[in-house]
């Protein structure tokens, strides 16, 4: 049984590697006007890490100070995750979602508990749709507020997101892979 599972895992890695080498396009739900639809199942994608943002830090969605501490959960669409982990290359159609969660006030030594979802942003890699954008990446904001989030989002201006990725993640295909423990790839 172990040999069958190991063989299937090896086959999956080779399949993902061959997909990355081909010109593939993972499905992203864009509208005719260039807006993107909010993914409805992002919490079922691969969670690659969680970050704690302290009170008063500037929020990446709206560039304003946050009112309480927040967690940011990062999710990657499963096929893009598999291809990246197998090849080290983010494929065309990669979708990465960051969801913000407000935290209840906690006293010294108390456990931090989430109170509600509080914002959603998404990055999409699409060489055909964003040929002039660094890394072919488009950035979208579905709101920094409790649910429900906006159902569609327009492309954000370059200055709002891309400049930070250009300055700090150029060696990582302009995606902060080193910030997420779930994106650590085993080196052969």
């Amino acid at each position: 049984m172990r040999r069958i599972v190991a063989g299937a895992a090896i086959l999956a890695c080779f399949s993902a590697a061959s997909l990355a080498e081909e010109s593939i396009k993972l499905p992203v739900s864009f509208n005719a006007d260039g807006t993107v639809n909010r993914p409805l199942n992002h919490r079922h994608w691969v969670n690659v890490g969680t970050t704690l943002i302290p009170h008063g830090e500037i929020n990446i969605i709206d560039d304003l100070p946050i009112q309480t501490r927040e967690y940011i959960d990062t999710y990657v669409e499963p096929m893009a995750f598999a291809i990246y982990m197998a090849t080290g290359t983010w494929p065309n159609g990669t979708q990465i979602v960051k969801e913000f969660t407000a935290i209840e006030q906690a006293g010294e030594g108390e456990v931090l508990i989430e109170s509600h979802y509080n914002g959603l942003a998404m990055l999409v890699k699409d060489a055909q749709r964003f040929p002039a954008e660094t890394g072919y990446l488009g950035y979208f904001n579905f709101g920094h507020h409790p649910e429900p989030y906006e159902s569609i989002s327009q492309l954000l201006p370059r200055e709002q997101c891309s400049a930070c990725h250009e300055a700090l993640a150029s060696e990582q295909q302009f995606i902060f892979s080193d910030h997420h423990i779930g994106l650590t790839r085993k080196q052969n």
Side-chain angles (χ1 to χ4, degrees), residues 11-28:
L11 180 60
C13 286
F14 282 122
S15 296
S18 65
L19 280 175
E21 292 172 8
E22 295 177 18
S23 178
I24 66 162
K25 176 126 174 56
L26 299 175
V28 181

Side-chain angles (χ1 to χ4, degrees), residues 156-170:
L156 295 173
R158 179 194 164 278
E159 309 79 44
Q160 190 165 343
C161 294
S162 186
C164 185
H165 285 249
E166 291 169 25
L168 302 173
S170 62

Side-chain angles (χ1 to χ4, degrees), residues 72-126:
I72 303 175
D73 288 310
T74 303
Y75 300 93
V76 179
E77 187 278 327
M79 182 58 81
F81 174 81
I83 293 170
Y84 173 76
M85 294 305 283
T87 67
T89 300
W90 290 107
N92 208 38
T94 291
Q95 298 171 75
I96 299 175
V97 166
K98 290 193 175 280
E99 185 162 37
F100 298 75
T101 308
I103 299 173
E104 292 180 8
Q105 293 295 334
E108 184 70 31
E110 290 182 347
V111 174
L112 297 177
I113 298 174
E114 299 169 302
S115 63
H116 60 276
Y117 294 111
N118 200 42
L120 191 73
M122 182 167 73
L123 166 156
V124 176
K125 179 178 178 180
D126 190 317

